[in-house]
Amino acid sequence: MPRYYFDVREGDDVTSDDEGLELSGIEAAWVEAAHSLADILRDAVRTRRQGADHRIVVEVRDGTGPVLAVTVTFEAEWRAIGRLSQ
């Protein structure tokens, strides 16, 4: 089975994957990259990170080089909307 590496890019920060995962093919790598993005977004919400146009890219590569990139852009902004009726 091929080995895929999942590098994460958040703004200017890049975290390289030196271990990778053995997966059945490119579709399985796409699913893994999408799940990784979901985990990163969940952590961002839990830690209440704010920022407009926050962009995260999971760049997937195999032994020959880049094979795909999965990207998400989101905005987490708090706004005062007044008191909610009870």
Side-chain angles (χ1 to χ4, degrees):
M1 279 199 291
R3 181 170 293 272
Y4 294 94
Y5 301 87
F6 300 84
D7 302 329
V8 177
R9 182 179 305 277
E10 285 188 76
D12 293 333
D13 297 330
V14 177
T15 303
S16 293
D17 176 7
D18 296 328
E19 294 181 29
L21 294 172
E22 286 187 356
L23 298 169
S24 60
I26 193 70
E27 289 183 27
W30 181 87
V31 169
E32 183 65 32
H35 285 203
S36 295
L37 280 175
D39 290 343
I40 294 166
L41 288 172
R42 186 174 34 256
D43 290 344
V45 170
R46 283 187 185 140
T47 59
R48 296 185 177 170
R49 282 188 270 165
Q50 290 194 75
D53 299 326
H54 194 85
R55 185 170 186 241
I56 303 168
V57 181
V58 176
E59 298 169 339
V60 183
R61 57 188 165 83
D62 64 10
T64 64
V67 294
L68 70 95
V70 180
T71 305
V72 66
T73 301
F74 73 99
E75 182 177 339
E77 183 178 329
W78 304 331
R79 297 182 186 170
I81 58 173
R83 298 186 88 154
L84 298 176
S85 301
Q86 294 185 1

